[in-house]
Amino acid sequence: MEKSRKKRVFVLLPDGIGLKNFAYSDFPKKGVQNGFEVVFWNKTSFNLTELGFSEVKLPNLKPFFVSTILKNVKTSIFLDYFTLKFKDDTYQSYKFTSYSTSKSVKDLFKNYLFRFFLLLFDNRFRNNIQKLIQFLESNTTYYSSCKSQLAVEKPDFIFCTNQRHVSAIAPLLAAADLGIPTSTFIFSWDNLPKATLVLSTDYYFVWSSYMKNELLSYYPAIKGEQIKIVGTPQFEFYYNPLNIIPEEEFFFKYNMNKEWDYVCFSGDDITTSPFDAFYLRDLAASIVKINMVQEKKIGIIFRRCPVDFSDRYNQVLEEFKDIIVVIDPAWTSFGECWNEIMPTVEDIRILTSTIYYSKMVFNLGSSMVFDFIIFGKPCFYFNYNPVLDFNQNWSVQKIYKFIHFKSMPSKKAVFWIDTKESISPMLLELINYEGKLDLTETQIWFEKIVSVSPSTTSSVIWENITELV
């Protein structure tokens, strides 16, 4: 009698975003433990066989260029729809087209097509844009090559690691046409209000009940039974003590003083916080004043945003090199675009240890608040415009009006820095209250956004896949 084969699950990696969550976490191991053959359907330049995983490389082909333009059109129109539906102009602030101000002939042509399609489609026909994108993609060589791959490989289920990439449309269409069930993971807590849902799949995996309600509200055509609440694997690493570098090794490697207290400054991308270097300067200058009068010294661990390779911090880092320790993320670049910059396994230990050895984190509206609360540590949000003559298209008030901040249970979820003059007294008051701060509201916020136990997320995802397969 022929032995029945294991069910095959293709984990679709359209870009490097999913590497950390779904290749470096317990996710592959848990899949095997649940009796599946786990195969990464890999569009990235990263060779996952080097990590001992089974992979099938997606065809080295690209989506039809018009599909990407139509995706941007769709995003713009859905943001208009959200604005009208929820009577909130904040959705307009999410509009962004990378080639809208470019002077190259190629991008001018793309911009012309973008504006043409915006005139052709409006709010009434927003759902037709997805149909047009799917029609275009289903007539590409990329689609037919994906279909041929699937016909040979015969997976039983497709799990896509993020919902926003055009390069995942053709593979998922090919799967659907072959009767293979498909799903996608909403990979970040702020994605749904930004109208970044590019894919149409049989099932949608979300972090929480809060995110499920968002998905149903923004996309009424999706049914409740299609949505699975699974949490997110991005926090699993923090529950493994092996990811904490021993103190002697960590402090020696980065030339840190074990007698000092360290706070973390977590950098943002240059679009979200173009004046990040000013905030770092204000924090550093405040700590210099504290160190002049306090015997216990304070230092700063500076971790830049992994996709920010700008030189905007250089002057501040040089000026305050006596108190700032630079611990760069261990990411690898395979191209010039932000989604071609990929994390390495090493960065998991670096990030975990950075949080573990820091007393608190300072940033502008970052989700690092959730990483730090897992370790019972507070987050400080800068809440002032750092310079008088700043870009009028940007302000700190605009940042905190973003829709995802409405999930905050109260303003007590973080500590707000309303002026640079308030940094020193706040820091002096709170740094000596380690473990005694009331972080109840922060914990409530975390549990609201990540409703499934973050230490068991991989298992929960596979339990849902098991039921669906």
Side-chain angles (χ1 to χ4, degrees):
M1 186 174 179
E2 185 181 351
K3 184 179 179 181
S4 61
R5 72 174 181 88
K6 291 182 178 180
K7 296 289 186 180
R8 271 191 129 190
V9 174
F10 264 28
V11 181
L12 174 54
L13 283 171
D15 58 22
I17 289 172
L19 278 172
K20 178 184 173 185
N21 287 359
F22 296 103
Y24 303 158
S25 69
D26 285 340
F27 182 76
K29 180 176 71 176
K30 294 296 183 183
V32 173
Q33 289 175 357
N34 275 267
F36 291 103
E37 181 186 355
V38 181
V39 180
F40 284 94
W41 204 13
N42 189 2
K43 188 66 172 171
T44 76
S45 302
F46 207 90
N47 184 358
L48 289 172
T49 60
E50 294 178 356
L51 298 177
F53 298 132
S54 176
E55 77 168 8
V56 172
K57 285 287 188 182
L58 274 155
N60 188 24
L61 297 165
K62 293 182 179 180
F64 186 36
F65 81 97
V66 176
S67 299
T68 301
I69 297 170
L70 285 169
K71 180 206 76 169
N72 292 327
V73 172
K74 178 188 171 185
T75 298
S76 181
I77 290 176
F78 265 82
L79 289 173
D80 289 340
Y81 165 61
F82 296 164
T83 301
L84 291 172
K85 181 176 181 177
F86 301 106
K87 298 179 173 58
D88 191 336
D89 289 336
T90 304
Y91 293 100
Q92 296 299 308
S93 64
Y94 294 133
K95 288 186 175 181
F96 174 74
T97 309
S98 59
Y99 44 79
S100 60
T101 58
S102 174
K103 300 297 183 184
S104 72
V105 174
K106 180 180 178 180
D107 285 343
L108 284 172
F109 177 64
K110 288 182 178 179
N111 190 44
Y112 169 79
L113 287 179
F114 174 76
R115 295 183 180 280
F116 169 75
F117 286 123
L118 267 183
L119 291 173
L120 188 63
F121 295 99
D122 62 17
N123 188 21
R124 295 168 298 169
F125 304 106
R126 61 185 179 277
N127 293 319
N128 292 342
I129 302 178
Q130 184 71 13
K131 295 176 183 177
L132 178 57
I133 294 172
Q134 292 176 335
F135 172 77
L136 294 174
E137 287 301 296
S138 64
N139 285 280
T140 60
T141 305
Y142 181 39
Y143 163 86
S144 57
S145 299
C146 290
K147 195 171 183 179
S148 298
Q149 272 191 342
L150 292 174
V152 172
E153 300 291 340
K154 295 181 171 57
D156 298 283
F157 192 82
I158 310 287
F159 177 84
C160 184
T161 55
N162 84 70
Q163 82 294 341
R164 62 186 295 171
H165 212 289
V166 177
S167 67
I169 295 175
L172 291 170
L173 282 174
D177 288 346
L178 290 171
I180 303 166
T182 61
S183 65
T184 190
F185 179 74
I186 310 298
F187 84 90
S188 187
W189 70 308
D190 65 348
N191 279 184
L192 291 174
K194 294 179 179 179
T196 62
L197 183 60
V198 173
L199 308 178
S200 297
T201 53
D202 297 314
Y203 302 99
Y204 301 84
F205 287 61
V206 299
W207 294 20
S208 61
S209 298
Y210 182 86
M211 190 179 281
K212 176 179 179 178
N213 291 332
E214 276 191 314
L215 187 56
L216 291 171
S217 181
Y218 291 131
Y219 302 95
I222 296 174
K223 306 303 179 186
E225 57 268 23
Q226 293 178 268
I227 305 173
K228 306 300 175 182
I229 299 171
V230 297
T232 175
Q234 75 183 60
F235 303 115
E236 274 187 352
F237 312 99
Y238 301 141
Y239 296 88
N240 184 353
L242 295 177
N243 287 327
I244 299 173
I245 300 170
E247 185 178 34
E248 288 284 345
E249 179 184 342
F250 187 77
F251 277 67
F252 176 78
K253 180 177 181 179
Y254 296 106
N255 195 26
M256 295 165 60
N257 190 326
K258 288 199 294 183
E259 304 302 317
W260 287 24
D261 286 330
Y262 284 91
V263 301
C264 177
F265 181 96
S266 175
D268 275 294
D269 64 89
I270 198 166
T271 302
T272 301
S273 186
F275 301 101
D276 232 29
F278 289 84
Y279 292 119
L280 178 59
R281 180 187 296 278
D282 290 346
L283 177 61
S286 299
I287 288 176
V288 167
K289 291 179 183 177
I290 293 174
N291 286 347
M292 290 174 65
V293 298
Q294 182 174 273
E295 183 177 350
K296 182 79 169 180
K297 306 304 181 188
I298 301 173
I300 299 172
I301 295 177
F302 169 64
R303 178 181 167 93
R304 70 170 63 240
C305 173
V307 296
D308 179 10
F309 294 101
S310 68
D311 60 359
R312 58 187 174 138
Y313 298 103
N314 289 3
Q315 187 175 345
V316 181
L317 296 177
E318 177 61 28
E319 183 180 351
F320 295 97
K321 61 185 178 183
D322 291 339
I323 64 167
I324 298 179
V325 175
V326 179
I327 302 182
D328 285 329
W331 287 46
T332 301
S333 177
F334 286 93
E336 297 179 357
C337 298
W338 69 270
N339 57 10
E340 294 177 303
I341 301 167
M342 304 178 194
T344 63
V345 176
E346 178 191 2
D347 191 56
I348 292 167
R349 297 187 76 214
I350 293 173
L351 176 57
T352 304
S353 302
T354 295
I355 298 170
Y356 185 78
Y357 293 113
S358 299
K359 298 288 185 181
M360 55 193 66
V361 65
F362 291 79
N363 57 59
L364 188 131
S366 165
S367 64
M368 285 291 280
V369 60
F370 300 136
D371 302 68
F372 271 75
I373 191 57
I374 290 175
F375 291 85
K377 298 180 180 184
C379 174
F380 290 74
Y381 276 176
F382 294 103
N383 192 33
Y384 62 90
N385 291 319
V387 287
L388 293 176
D389 182 22
F390 63 92
N391 183 348
Q392 295 301 313
N393 292 322
W394 183 94
S395 75
V396 72
Q397 290 78 21
K398 181 178 178 181
I399 298 299
Y400 293 119
K401 286 182 180 177
F402 285 159
I403 303 300
H404 56 283
F405 288 116
K406 291 183 178 181
S407 64
M408 193 181 290
S410 80
K411 291 293 185 180
K412 293 181 180 179
V414 297
F415 293 92
W416 299 91
I417 303 174
D418 295 324
T419 65
K420 65 180 180 181
E421 291 77 17
S422 67
I423 298 175
S424 293
M426 286 182 71
L427 191 51
L428 270 172
E429 179 182 358
L430 297 176
I431 199 166
N432 296 317
Y433 282 83
E434 182 183 6
K436 300 177 183 178
L437 295 175
D438 184 2
L439 302 177
T440 304
E441 293 292 292
T442 320
Q443 187 64 37
I444 291 172
W445 192 18
F446 177 76
E447 291 173 0
K448 181 178 182 179
I449 297 300
V450 189
S451 59
V452 174
S453 172
S455 63
T456 61
T457 297
S458 289
S459 295
V460 174
I461 294 175
W462 283 109
E463 287 168 10
N464 279 272
I465 292 175
T466 300
E467 290 179 10
L468 297 176
V469 173

